[in-house]
Amino acid sequence: MAEHFDVVVVGAGISGVGQAYHLQKRCPDRSYVILEGRAALGGTWDLFRYPGIRSDSDMHTLGFAFHPWRAAKSIADGPSIRAYVEETAQTYGIDRHIRFRHHVTAAAWSTADARWTVEATGPDGEPLTFTCNFLCMCSGYYKYANGYTPHFEGADSFGGRIVHPQLWPEDLSYDGKRVVVIGSGATAVTLVPEMAKRAGHVTMLQRSPTYVVSRPAEDRFANWLRDRLPAKLAYGTTRWKNVLTGMVFYRIAKKRPQKFKERLIGMVREHLGPDYDVDTHFTPRYNPWDQRLCLVPDADLFDAIKRGDASVETGTIDRFTPTGIRLSSGKELPADIIVTATGLELQLLSGVRFSQDGMPIDLSKALQYKGMMFSDVPNLAYTFGYTNASWTLKADLVATYVCRLLNTMTKRGVRQATPHTDDTTMTTEPFVDFSSGYIQRAERDLPKQGSRKPWKLNQNYALDVLALRFGSVDDDMVFSNPARGRRGTDSIAA
Protein backbone atom coordinates (compact mmCIF):
# COMPACT_ATOMS: atom_id res chain seq x y z
CA MET A 1 0.00 0.00 0.00
CA ALA A 2 1.28 3.46 -0.91
CA GLU A 3 2.31 5.96 1.76
CA HIS A 4 1.01 9.46 1.11
CA PHE A 5 2.77 12.77 1.83
CA ASP A 6 1.93 16.27 0.72
CA VAL A 7 5.47 16.64 -0.63
CA VAL A 8 8.07 14.06 -1.60
CA VAL A 9 11.65 15.34 -1.80
CA VAL A 10 14.14 13.19 -3.71
CA GLY A 11 17.71 13.55 -2.47
CA ALA A 12 19.23 14.35 0.92
CA GLY A 13 22.15 16.50 -0.19
CA ILE A 14 22.44 20.25 0.23
CA SER A 15 19.41 20.88 -2.02
CA GLY A 16 17.15 18.35 -0.30
CA VAL A 17 18.04 19.44 3.23
CA GLY A 18 17.47 23.07 2.25
CA GLN A 19 14.11 22.26 0.69
CA ALA A 20 13.06 20.40 3.84
CA TYR A 21 14.00 23.33 6.08
CA HIS A 22 11.88 25.75 4.07
CA LEU A 23 8.94 23.36 3.98
CA GLN A 24 9.04 23.11 7.77
CA LYS A 25 9.32 26.86 8.20
CA ARG A 26 7.01 28.17 5.48
CA CYS A 27 4.54 25.30 5.00
CA PRO A 28 4.23 23.73 8.47
CA ASP A 29 0.85 22.24 7.55
CA ARG A 30 2.40 20.07 4.81
CA SER A 31 3.75 16.58 5.47
CA TYR A 32 6.92 15.58 3.67
CA VAL A 33 9.46 12.79 3.31
CA ILE A 34 12.96 12.75 1.82
CA LEU A 35 13.86 9.68 -0.24
CA GLU A 36 17.62 9.19 -0.43
CA GLY A 37 19.16 6.44 -2.53
CA ARG A 38 22.38 6.29 -0.55
CA ALA A 39 22.95 5.10 3.01
CA ALA A 40 23.89 8.57 4.29
CA LEU A 41 22.98 12.19 3.65
CA GLY A 42 25.27 14.76 2.09
CA GLY A 43 24.91 13.97 -1.61
CA THR A 44 28.07 15.00 -3.45
CA TRP A 45 29.93 15.44 -0.18
CA ASP A 46 29.19 11.88 0.90
CA LEU A 47 29.93 10.35 -2.51
CA PHE A 48 33.31 11.89 -3.34
CA ARG A 49 36.16 10.64 -1.16
CA TYR A 50 39.23 11.34 -3.28
CA PRO A 51 42.29 13.02 -1.68
CA GLY A 52 41.83 16.73 -1.01
CA ILE A 53 38.11 16.84 -1.94
CA ARG A 54 36.90 20.36 -1.16
CA SER A 55 34.52 23.08 -2.23
CA ASP A 56 35.25 25.21 -5.26
CA SER A 57 33.00 27.94 -3.88
CA ASP A 58 33.27 29.80 -0.58
CA MET A 59 31.24 28.30 2.24
CA HIS A 60 29.51 31.60 3.00
CA THR A 61 27.58 31.16 -0.25
CA LEU A 62 27.73 27.36 -0.55
CA GLY A 63 26.43 27.08 3.00
CA PHE A 64 22.77 27.39 3.93
CA ALA A 65 21.38 30.91 4.31
CA PHE A 66 19.61 29.88 7.52
CA HIS A 67 22.48 28.00 9.22
CA PRO A 68 25.77 29.95 9.48
CA TRP A 69 29.07 28.38 8.49
CA ARG A 70 31.26 28.95 11.56
CA ALA A 71 34.58 27.35 10.63
CA ALA A 72 37.60 29.53 9.92
CA LYS A 73 38.23 28.11 6.45
CA SER A 74 35.99 29.50 3.75
CA ILE A 75 37.26 26.99 1.17
CA ALA A 76 36.43 23.84 3.10
CA ASP A 77 37.33 20.18 2.74
CA GLY A 78 34.75 17.52 1.91
CA PRO A 79 34.50 15.89 5.35
CA SER A 80 33.87 19.31 6.97
CA ILE A 81 31.11 20.08 4.48
CA ARG A 82 29.53 16.66 4.99
CA ALA A 83 29.59 17.19 8.77
CA TYR A 84 28.01 20.64 8.30
CA VAL A 85 25.13 19.19 6.24
CA GLU A 86 24.60 16.46 8.85
CA GLU A 87 24.65 19.02 11.67
CA THR A 88 22.08 21.14 9.84
CA ALA A 89 19.75 18.19 9.31
CA GLN A 90 20.02 17.21 12.98
CA THR A 91 19.61 20.77 14.30
CA TYR A 92 16.26 21.26 12.56
CA GLY A 93 14.98 17.69 12.89
CA ILE A 94 15.19 17.12 9.15
CA ASP A 95 17.06 13.83 9.60
CA ARG A 96 13.92 12.27 11.08
CA HIS A 97 12.17 12.69 7.72
CA ILE A 98 14.84 10.91 5.63
CA ARG A 99 14.38 7.37 4.28
CA PHE A 100 17.84 6.09 3.39
CA ARG A 101 18.57 3.53 0.68
CA HIS A 102 15.31 4.41 -1.04
CA HIS A 103 16.12 4.67 -4.73
CA VAL A 104 13.42 6.38 -6.79
CA THR A 105 12.92 4.84 -10.22
CA ALA A 106 9.67 6.28 -11.61
CA ALA A 107 7.06 8.98 -11.02
CA ALA A 108 3.61 9.01 -12.64
CA TRP A 109 1.26 12.00 -12.56
CA SER A 110 -2.48 11.42 -12.51
CA THR A 111 -4.55 14.43 -13.52
CA ALA A 112 -7.72 12.78 -12.23
CA ASP A 113 -6.19 12.43 -8.75
CA ALA A 114 -3.91 15.49 -8.89
CA ARG A 115 -1.05 13.51 -7.43
CA TRP A 116 2.21 11.78 -8.21
CA THR A 117 2.75 8.08 -7.67
CA VAL A 118 6.43 7.56 -6.91
CA GLU A 119 8.01 4.13 -7.29
CA ALA A 120 11.20 3.23 -5.42
CA THR A 121 13.29 0.29 -4.33
CA GLY A 122 13.90 -0.05 -0.61
CA PRO A 123 16.95 -1.10 1.45
CA ASP A 124 16.47 -4.78 0.64
CA GLY A 125 15.51 -4.21 -2.99
CA GLU A 126 11.81 -4.44 -2.27
CA PRO A 127 9.44 -2.30 -4.39
CA LEU A 128 7.91 0.64 -2.52
CA THR A 129 5.24 3.14 -3.54
CA PHE A 130 4.61 6.68 -2.33
CA THR A 131 2.05 9.24 -3.42
CA CYS A 132 2.29 13.00 -3.09
CA ASN A 133 0.65 16.20 -4.25
CA PHE A 134 3.97 17.87 -5.11
CA LEU A 135 7.32 16.37 -6.09
CA CYS A 136 10.69 18.09 -5.51
CA MET A 137 13.67 16.62 -7.34
CA CYS A 138 16.79 17.57 -5.36
CA SER A 139 18.93 14.74 -6.67
CA GLY A 140 21.76 16.69 -8.30
CA TYR A 141 22.75 16.73 -11.93
CA TYR A 142 25.08 13.80 -12.54
CA LYS A 143 25.17 10.00 -12.37
CA TYR A 144 26.23 8.76 -8.97
CA ALA A 145 26.99 5.28 -10.31
CA ASN A 146 29.90 6.32 -12.50
CA GLY A 147 31.80 9.27 -13.91
CA TYR A 148 32.76 10.00 -17.49
CA THR A 149 35.80 8.17 -18.88
CA PRO A 150 36.56 8.38 -22.61
CA HIS A 151 38.05 5.42 -24.45
CA PHE A 152 41.83 5.26 -24.16
CA GLU A 153 43.61 2.99 -26.60
CA GLY A 154 45.78 0.45 -24.82
CA ALA A 155 44.19 0.94 -21.38
CA ASP A 156 44.07 -2.83 -20.88
CA SER A 157 47.83 -3.04 -21.30
CA PHE A 158 48.71 -0.62 -18.51
CA GLY A 159 50.47 -2.43 -15.69
CA GLY A 160 49.46 -0.08 -12.88
CA ARG A 161 46.08 1.02 -11.52
CA ILE A 162 43.55 3.22 -13.30
CA VAL A 163 41.05 4.98 -11.04
CA HIS A 164 38.28 7.53 -11.47
CA PRO A 165 37.88 10.11 -8.67
CA GLN A 166 34.17 9.36 -8.36
CA LEU A 167 34.95 5.74 -7.42
CA TRP A 168 38.10 6.27 -5.35
CA PRO A 169 39.34 2.97 -3.89
CA GLU A 170 39.97 2.99 -0.14
CA ASP A 171 43.01 0.73 -0.49
CA LEU A 172 44.88 2.90 -3.01
CA SER A 173 48.38 3.72 -1.79
CA TYR A 174 50.30 6.27 -3.81
CA ASP A 175 53.23 6.98 -1.47
CA GLY A 176 56.34 7.45 -3.58
CA LYS A 177 54.47 6.50 -6.76
CA ARG A 178 54.47 8.21 -10.13
CA VAL A 179 50.96 9.51 -10.75
CA VAL A 180 49.40 10.96 -13.90
CA VAL A 181 46.11 12.82 -13.41
CA ILE A 182 44.25 13.22 -16.71
CA GLY A 183 42.15 16.38 -16.67
CA SER A 184 42.31 20.09 -15.96
CA GLY A 185 39.05 20.82 -14.13
CA ALA A 186 38.21 21.33 -10.49
CA THR A 187 38.85 17.70 -9.56
CA ALA A 188 42.28 17.60 -11.21
CA VAL A 189 43.53 20.84 -9.67
CA THR A 190 42.39 19.54 -6.27
CA LEU A 191 43.97 16.09 -6.63
CA VAL A 192 47.35 17.16 -7.96
CA PRO A 193 48.63 19.28 -5.03
CA GLU A 194 47.13 16.91 -2.45
CA MET A 195 48.62 13.75 -3.98
CA ALA A 196 51.94 15.54 -4.52
CA LYS A 197 52.40 15.68 -0.75
CA ARG A 198 53.03 11.91 -0.68
CA ALA A 199 53.56 10.73 -4.25
CA GLY A 200 56.95 10.51 -5.92
CA HIS A 201 55.71 12.91 -8.60
CA VAL A 202 52.32 13.95 -9.98
CA THR A 203 51.75 15.05 -13.57
CA MET A 204 48.56 16.85 -14.57
CA LEU A 205 47.97 15.85 -18.18
CA GLN A 206 45.52 18.14 -19.96
CA ARG A 207 44.29 18.31 -23.51
CA SER A 208 43.80 22.07 -23.12
CA PRO A 209 44.24 24.56 -20.26
CA THR A 210 41.64 25.87 -17.81
CA TYR A 211 41.55 29.21 -16.00
CA VAL A 212 43.03 28.64 -12.54
CA VAL A 213 42.65 31.28 -9.84
CA SER A 214 44.13 31.30 -6.35
CA ARG A 215 42.34 32.75 -3.35
CA PRO A 216 42.93 32.48 0.40
CA ALA A 217 41.43 29.44 2.10
CA GLU A 218 40.30 31.71 4.93
CA ASP A 219 38.15 34.79 4.50
CA ARG A 220 39.78 37.30 6.85
CA PHE A 221 36.85 39.69 6.67
CA ALA A 222 34.43 36.92 7.63
CA ASN A 223 36.56 35.79 10.55
CA TRP A 224 37.01 39.38 11.74
CA LEU A 225 33.29 40.02 11.49
CA ARG A 226 32.39 36.81 13.32
CA ASP A 227 34.29 38.00 16.40
CA ARG A 228 32.35 41.25 16.50
CA LEU A 229 28.78 40.53 15.42
CA PRO A 230 26.12 37.88 16.14
CA ALA A 231 26.75 34.76 14.07
CA LYS A 232 23.78 35.14 11.70
CA LEU A 233 24.42 38.83 11.05
CA ALA A 234 28.12 38.26 10.41
CA TYR A 235 27.38 35.31 8.14
CA GLY A 236 24.68 37.15 6.21
CA THR A 237 26.91 40.18 5.69
CA THR A 238 29.77 38.04 4.39
CA ARG A 239 27.37 36.09 2.19
CA TRP A 240 26.10 39.21 0.46
CA LYS A 241 29.61 40.63 0.19
CA ASN A 242 30.74 37.48 -1.62
CA VAL A 243 27.62 37.32 -3.79
CA LEU A 244 28.00 40.91 -4.96
CA THR A 245 31.75 40.55 -5.48
CA GLY A 246 31.17 37.47 -7.61
CA MET A 247 28.48 39.21 -9.64
CA VAL A 248 30.74 42.20 -10.32
CA PHE A 249 33.65 40.04 -11.46
CA TYR A 250 31.37 37.91 -13.63
CA ARG A 251 29.94 41.02 -15.29
CA ILE A 252 33.41 42.40 -15.96
CA ALA A 253 34.52 39.06 -17.39
CA LYS A 254 31.59 39.01 -19.81
CA LYS A 255 31.84 42.68 -20.75
CA ARG A 256 35.62 42.83 -21.17
CA PRO A 257 36.72 39.22 -21.70
CA GLN A 258 40.16 40.00 -23.14
CA LYS A 259 41.15 42.32 -20.30
CA PHE A 260 39.83 39.89 -17.72
CA LYS A 261 41.68 37.02 -19.41
CA GLU A 262 44.94 38.96 -19.37
CA ARG A 263 44.54 39.64 -15.67
CA LEU A 264 43.83 36.00 -14.80
CA ILE A 265 46.82 34.78 -16.77
CA GLY A 266 48.94 37.57 -15.32
CA MET A 267 48.19 36.33 -11.82
CA VAL A 268 49.37 32.84 -12.79
CA ARG A 269 52.65 34.36 -14.07
CA GLU A 270 53.06 36.11 -10.73
CA HIS A 271 52.79 32.74 -8.95
CA LEU A 272 54.96 30.66 -11.28
CA GLY A 273 57.53 33.23 -12.39
CA PRO A 274 58.63 34.60 -15.77
CA ASP A 275 60.39 31.40 -16.91
CA TYR A 276 57.35 29.12 -16.67
CA ASP A 277 55.49 28.39 -19.94
CA VAL A 278 52.16 29.92 -18.93
CA ASP A 279 51.14 30.39 -22.56
CA THR A 280 51.10 26.62 -23.13
CA HIS A 281 49.82 25.33 -19.80
CA PHE A 282 47.58 28.03 -18.31
CA THR A 283 46.18 30.03 -21.26
CA PRO A 284 42.76 28.64 -22.31
CA ARG A 285 41.35 28.91 -25.82
CA TYR A 286 37.97 30.15 -24.54
CA ASN A 287 36.89 33.27 -22.68
CA PRO A 288 36.53 33.43 -18.88
CA TRP A 289 33.24 31.95 -17.59
CA ASP A 290 32.46 30.09 -20.81
CA GLN A 291 33.34 27.33 -18.35
CA ARG A 292 33.72 27.51 -14.57
CA LEU A 293 36.96 28.95 -13.27
CA CYS A 294 39.07 26.55 -11.21
CA LEU A 295 39.77 27.72 -7.69
CA VAL A 296 42.92 26.71 -5.81
CA PRO A 297 43.19 27.74 -2.13
CA ASP A 298 46.38 29.48 -1.04
CA ALA A 299 48.01 28.77 -4.43
CA ASP A 300 48.57 25.12 -3.47
CA LEU A 301 48.75 23.90 -7.08
CA PHE A 302 51.28 26.56 -8.04
CA ASP A 303 53.38 25.84 -4.94
CA ALA A 304 53.50 22.11 -5.78
CA ILE A 305 54.68 22.95 -9.30
CA LYS A 306 57.36 25.33 -8.01
CA ARG A 307 58.64 22.70 -5.56
CA GLY A 308 58.93 20.20 -8.39
CA ASP A 309 56.48 17.80 -6.74
CA ALA A 310 54.03 18.30 -9.60
CA SER A 311 54.14 19.31 -13.23
CA VAL A 312 51.72 20.08 -16.05
CA GLU A 313 51.81 18.46 -19.47
CA THR A 314 49.59 19.78 -22.29
CA GLY A 315 48.91 17.46 -25.20
CA THR A 316 46.74 14.68 -26.56
CA ILE A 317 47.00 11.00 -25.69
CA ASP A 318 48.10 8.52 -28.36
CA ARG A 319 47.69 5.45 -26.15
CA PHE A 320 48.28 3.91 -22.75
CA THR A 321 51.36 1.68 -22.54
CA PRO A 322 52.34 -0.96 -19.98
CA THR A 323 54.41 1.65 -18.15
CA GLY A 324 52.43 4.86 -18.62
CA ILE A 325 51.03 7.11 -21.34
CA ARG A 326 52.39 7.95 -24.79
CA LEU A 327 51.38 11.35 -26.13
CA SER A 328 50.68 12.15 -29.77
CA SER A 329 53.95 14.08 -29.76
CA GLY A 330 55.78 10.82 -28.98
CA LYS A 331 56.66 11.83 -25.43
CA GLU A 332 56.28 9.13 -22.78
CA LEU A 333 54.84 9.84 -19.33
CA PRO A 334 55.84 7.06 -16.90
CA ALA A 335 53.16 6.18 -14.35
CA ASP A 336 52.36 3.71 -11.63
CA ILE A 337 48.85 5.13 -11.18
CA ILE A 338 46.62 6.91 -13.70
CA VAL A 339 43.72 8.97 -12.41
CA THR A 340 41.03 9.76 -15.01
CA ALA A 341 39.67 13.08 -13.73
CA THR A 342 37.82 13.37 -17.01
CA GLY A 343 34.48 14.64 -15.78
CA LEU A 344 30.92 13.75 -14.90
CA GLU A 345 28.06 12.04 -16.71
CA LEU A 346 25.19 14.51 -16.53
CA GLN A 347 21.92 12.88 -15.51
CA LEU A 348 19.04 15.25 -14.96
CA LEU A 349 16.53 14.24 -12.30
CA SER A 350 18.48 11.12 -11.36
CA GLY A 351 17.30 9.11 -14.37
CA VAL A 352 13.76 8.81 -13.00
CA ARG A 353 11.16 7.76 -15.57
CA PHE A 354 8.35 10.33 -15.63
CA SER A 355 4.88 9.90 -17.08
CA GLN A 356 1.66 11.88 -17.18
CA ASP A 357 -1.71 10.18 -17.46
CA GLY A 358 -0.07 7.04 -18.78
CA MET A 359 2.12 8.77 -21.38
CA PRO A 360 5.91 9.11 -20.97
CA ILE A 361 7.17 12.65 -20.39
CA ASP A 362 10.05 13.62 -22.70
CA LEU A 363 11.79 16.42 -20.82
CA SER A 364 14.10 17.11 -23.78
CA LYS A 365 11.02 18.53 -25.54
CA ALA A 366 10.09 20.73 -22.57
CA LEU A 367 10.97 24.32 -21.71
CA GLN A 368 12.35 25.02 -18.26
CA TYR A 369 10.30 27.48 -16.27
CA LYS A 370 12.25 29.88 -14.01
CA GLY A 371 15.04 27.33 -14.07
CA MET A 372 13.07 25.04 -11.72
CA MET A 373 9.95 23.60 -13.41
CA PHE A 374 8.98 22.27 -16.85
CA SER A 375 6.39 23.36 -19.39
CA ASP A 376 3.10 21.46 -19.12
CA VAL A 377 4.35 19.25 -16.27
CA PRO A 378 2.30 19.93 -13.12
CA ASN A 379 3.43 20.02 -9.50
CA LEU A 380 7.06 19.14 -10.20
CA ALA A 381 10.10 21.22 -9.26
CA TYR A 382 13.80 20.47 -9.65
CA THR A 383 16.97 22.08 -8.35
CA PHE A 384 19.85 23.01 -10.65
CA GLY A 385 22.30 25.52 -9.23
CA TYR A 386 24.25 28.32 -10.85
CA THR A 387 27.13 27.68 -13.21
CA ASN A 388 28.69 31.04 -12.34
CA ALA A 389 28.17 31.05 -8.55
CA SER A 390 27.52 28.72 -5.63
CA TRP A 391 24.97 25.95 -6.18
CA THR A 392 23.21 26.66 -2.88
CA LEU A 393 22.28 30.23 -3.78
CA LYS A 394 19.89 28.97 -6.47
CA ALA A 395 18.81 25.94 -4.42
CA ASP A 396 17.68 28.25 -1.61
CA LEU A 397 15.62 30.37 -4.01
CA VAL A 398 14.01 27.31 -5.60
CA ALA A 399 13.06 25.99 -2.14
CA THR A 400 11.42 29.25 -1.10
CA TYR A 401 9.57 29.53 -4.43
CA VAL A 402 8.17 26.01 -4.05
CA CYS A 403 6.79 27.07 -0.67
CA ARG A 404 5.26 30.22 -2.18
CA LEU A 405 3.61 28.07 -4.83
CA LEU A 406 2.27 25.57 -2.29
CA ASN A 407 0.86 28.34 -0.10
CA THR A 408 -0.75 30.04 -3.11
CA MET A 409 -2.42 26.77 -4.07
CA THR A 410 -3.77 26.35 -0.53
CA LYS A 411 -5.02 29.93 -0.40
CA ARG A 412 -6.80 29.59 -3.75
CA GLY A 413 -8.10 26.11 -3.07
CA VAL A 414 -6.45 24.52 -6.11
CA ARG A 415 -4.49 21.29 -6.42
CA GLN A 416 -2.54 21.70 -9.65
CA ALA A 417 0.02 24.27 -10.85
CA THR A 418 1.27 23.87 -14.40
CA PRO A 419 3.74 26.15 -16.26
CA HIS A 420 2.33 26.78 -19.72
CA THR A 421 2.81 29.13 -22.64
CA ASP A 422 0.90 29.64 -25.88
CA ASP A 423 3.57 31.97 -27.26
CA THR A 424 4.38 30.47 -30.66
CA THR A 425 6.84 33.27 -31.46
CA MET A 426 9.21 32.41 -28.60
CA THR A 427 12.43 30.80 -29.76
CA THR A 428 14.39 28.20 -27.82
CA GLU A 429 17.95 28.22 -26.54
CA PRO A 430 20.20 25.53 -25.00
CA PHE A 431 19.55 24.35 -21.43
CA VAL A 432 22.38 26.54 -20.17
CA ASP A 433 24.92 28.78 -21.89
CA PHE A 434 28.00 26.81 -20.90
CA SER A 435 30.65 25.01 -22.92
CA SER A 436 31.79 22.46 -20.32
CA GLY A 437 32.06 18.91 -21.64
CA TYR A 438 29.44 17.37 -19.35
CA ILE A 439 26.85 19.89 -20.55
CA GLN A 440 27.71 19.52 -24.23
CA ARG A 441 27.68 15.70 -24.11
CA ALA A 442 24.14 15.65 -22.71
CA GLU A 443 22.66 18.64 -24.57
CA ARG A 444 20.30 16.65 -26.80
CA ASP A 445 18.66 15.04 -23.74
CA LEU A 446 18.18 18.28 -21.81
CA PRO A 447 15.18 20.62 -21.74
CA LYS A 448 15.56 23.98 -23.43
CA GLN A 449 15.12 27.51 -22.20
CA GLY A 450 13.07 30.13 -23.95
CA SER A 451 14.05 33.51 -25.32
CA ARG A 452 12.08 35.47 -22.72
CA LYS A 453 11.24 35.34 -19.04
CA PRO A 454 10.03 33.36 -17.17
CA TRP A 455 11.34 30.70 -19.54
CA LYS A 456 14.84 32.15 -19.79
CA LEU A 457 17.51 31.71 -17.12
CA ASN A 458 18.82 34.76 -15.34
CA GLN A 459 22.09 33.20 -14.07
CA ASN A 460 22.07 36.18 -11.73
CA TYR A 461 21.32 35.81 -8.04
CA ALA A 462 20.01 39.34 -7.50
CA LEU A 463 17.58 39.07 -10.42
CA ASP A 464 16.45 35.65 -9.21
CA VAL A 465 15.82 37.01 -5.71
CA LEU A 466 13.45 39.54 -7.26
CA ALA A 467 11.79 36.95 -9.52
CA LEU A 468 11.48 34.00 -7.15
CA ARG A 469 10.99 35.67 -3.78
CA PHE A 470 9.01 38.73 -4.79
CA GLY A 471 7.87 38.22 -8.38
CA SER A 472 4.44 37.07 -9.48
CA VAL A 473 3.50 33.40 -9.24
CA ASP A 474 0.95 33.87 -12.01
CA ASP A 475 3.27 34.58 -14.95
CA ASP A 476 2.64 31.73 -17.40
CA MET A 477 1.42 29.51 -14.55
CA VAL A 478 -1.98 27.81 -14.82
CA PHE A 479 -3.64 26.97 -11.49
CA SER A 480 -6.42 24.44 -11.80
CA ASN A 481 -8.58 21.88 -10.04
CA PRO A 482 -8.71 18.55 -11.88
CA ALA A 483 -12.18 17.16 -12.28
CA ARG A 484 -12.12 14.04 -10.14
CA GLY A 485 -12.43 10.78 -12.04
CA ARG A 486 -11.72 12.23 -15.49
CA ARG A 487 -8.77 13.68 -17.35
CA GLY A 488 -9.86 17.30 -17.77
CA THR A 489 -9.15 20.28 -15.53
CA ASP A 490 -11.01 23.38 -14.60
CA SER A 491 -8.71 26.39 -14.88
CA ILE A 492 -8.82 28.73 -11.91
CA ALA A 493 -6.17 31.29 -12.77
CA ALA A 494 -3.56 31.91 -15.40
Side-chain angles (χ1 to χ4, degrees):
M1 184 174 178
E3 278 190 89
H4 181 76
F5 296 89
D6 293 317
V7 182
V8 166
V9 179
V10 179
I14 284 180
S15 301
V17 170
Q19 181 66 72
Y21 169 83
H22 287 290
L23 285 169
Q24 290 181 174
K25 180 182 178 183
R26 301 169 188 273
C27 305
D29 59 323
R30 307 290 175 118
S31 61
Y32 78 91
V33 68
I34 302 177
L35 304 180
E36 168 56 53
R38 296 172 59 77
L41 59 80
T44 292
W45 305 106
D46 179 64
L47 173 68
F48 283 100
R49 303 296 181 103
Y50 60 80
I53 173 67
R54 55 170 170 77
S55 62
D56 65 349
S57 301
D58 72 277
M59 287 306 300
H60 298 91
T61 56
L62 187 63
F64 298 108
F66 56 86
H67 192 70
W69 173 260
R70 292 181 170 87
K73 279 194 173 182
S74 177
I75 307 301
D77 60 82
S80 297
I81 300 172
R82 185 169 64 252
Y84 167 75
V85 178
E86 291 173 350
E87 173 199 292
T88 303
Q90 292 166 4
T91 298
Y92 300 99
I94 294 165
D95 55 335
R96 297 194 295 269
H97 295 261
I98 303 173
R99 307 280 182 92
F100 291 111
R101 297 176 65 194
H102 280 56
H103 180 68
V104 175
T105 57
W109 174 258
S110 166
T111 299
D113 300 317
R115 65 173 51 179
W116 288 98
T117 297
V118 179
E119 297 178 11
T121 55
D124 298 318
E126 70 276 23
L128 299 171
T129 304
F130 300 84
T131 59
C132 62
N133 305 110
F134 204 97
L135 181 59
C136 295
M137 296 298 299
C138 300
S139 52
Y141 63 102
Y142 61 88
K143 285 185 181 178
Y144 272 45
N146 59 271
Y148 172 71
T149 303
H151 172 73
F152 293 113
E153 193 69 35
D156 291 342
S157 71
F158 178 60
R161 293 189 70 172
I162 302 173
V163 299
H164 192 286
Q166 192 166 321
L167 300 172
W168 195 266
E170 292 183 8
D171 65 342
L172 182 66
S173 173
Y174 53 89
D175 290 12
K177 301 289 182 66
R178 298 166 300 178
V179 181
V180 175
V181 177
I182 302 174
S184 59
T187 302
V189 302
T190 298
L191 274 167
V192 170
E194 184 65 23
M195 296 187 77
K197 295 174 182 178
R198 291 165 46 191
H201 186 81
V202 181
T203 302
M204 185 171 84
L205 172 57
Q206 58 182 12
R207 184 172 55 187
S208 59
T210 300
Y211 291 103
V212 181
V213 181
S214 173
R215 65 179 293 179
E218 294 190 11
D219 187 324
R220 292 182 181 178
F221 175 77
N223 294 340
W224 179 87
L225 213 58
R226 193 183 301 113
D227 292 336
R228 290 160 176 79
L229 294 175
K232 284 193 174 181
L233 179 58
Y235 179 70
T237 302
T238 303
R239 186 179 179 90
W240 269 107
K241 182 263 292 184
N242 291 354
V243 165
L244 294 174
T245 300
M247 288 171 56
V248 167
F249 280 120
Y250 179 77
R251 184 174 179 81
I252 293 172
K254 286 298 188 181
K255 194 171 183 179
R256 300 178 180 176
Q258 189 58 38
K259 287 288 186 184
F260 200 80
K261 178 176 183 175
E262 290 171 2
R263 180 56 187 142
L264 292 179
I265 296 169
M267 289 191 292
V268 176
R269 293 188 195 279
E270 292 170 10
H271 285 295
L272 294 177
D275 297 329
Y276 190 85
D277 190 359
V278 172
D279 288 342
T280 297
H281 302 309
F282 287 97
T283 304
R285 296 191 290 260
Y286 56 88
N287 285 330
W289 281 118
D290 286 352
Q291 300 179 23
R292 279 186 76 98
L293 308 185
C294 282
L295 173 66
V296 294
D298 296 328
D300 62 356
L301 174 64
F302 303 131
D303 289 343
I305 292 171
K306 286 190 291 185
R307 288 194 307 267
D309 298 333
S311 59
V312 180
E313 193 72 40
T314 302
T316 56
I317 296 172
D318 174 44
R319 64 178 292 113
F320 284 21
T321 69
T323 57
I325 296 176
R326 180 188 304 146
L327 302 183
S328 299
S329 64
K331 184 174 183 177
E332 298 270 352
L333 299 179
D336 303 302
I337 299 170
I338 296 175
V339 181
T340 55
T342 44
L344 305 166
E345 283 276 13
L346 194 147
Q347 186 181 56
L348 197 66
L349 306 191
S350 198
V352 172
R353 302 186 309 275
F354 290 92
S355 61
Q356 185 171 355
D357 296 327
M359 298 297 293
I361 298 173
D362 185 354
L363 291 178
S364 69
K365 301 293 193 297
L367 287 176
Q368 54 179 328
Y369 174 82
K370 298 188 177 180
M372 55 163 288
M373 295 182 77
F374 303 102
S375 57
D376 299 317
V377 181
N379 293 28
L380 172 68
Y382 76 104
T383 302
F384 192 96
Y386 292 117
T387 57
N388 62 350
S390 290
W391 177 276
T392 317
L393 293 174
K394 182 63 179 290
D396 184 65
L397 293 176
V398 169
T400 55
Y401 184 87
V402 166
C403 294
R404 287 187 67 202
L405 200 59
L406 290 172
N407 289 334
T408 299
M409 293 167 72
T410 297
K411 183 178 179 181
R412 298 182 183 180
V414 298
R415 295 183 295 153
Q416 183 167 303
T418 309
H420 175 76
T421 179
D422 292 318
D423 185 357
T424 57
T425 65
M426 184 168 56
T427 57
T428 62
E429 300 175 7
F431 174 73
V432 65
D433 182 18
F434 217 48
S435 64
S436 291
Y438 66 93
I439 296 287
Q440 298 303 313
R441 288 191 297 270
E443 185 176 358
R444 66 181 180 182
D445 299 321
L446 297 175
K448 305 296 186 287
Q449 58 174 314
S451 55
R452 65 163 178 83
K453 298 176 184 179
W455 305 94
K456 186 175 177 62
L457 289 176
N458 283 318
Q459 286 292 357
N460 181 298
Y461 179 66
L463 292 178
D464 279 338
V465 167
L466 295 175
L468 299 181
R469 284 191 182 166
F470 305 109
S472 172
V473 295
D474 288 301
D475 47 344
D476 287 354
M477 180 69 77
V478 177
F479 293 96
S480 59
N481 262 326
R484 297 181 187 275
R486 59 187 179 88
R487 302 291 184 202
T489 63
D490 300 319
S491 179
I492 300 297

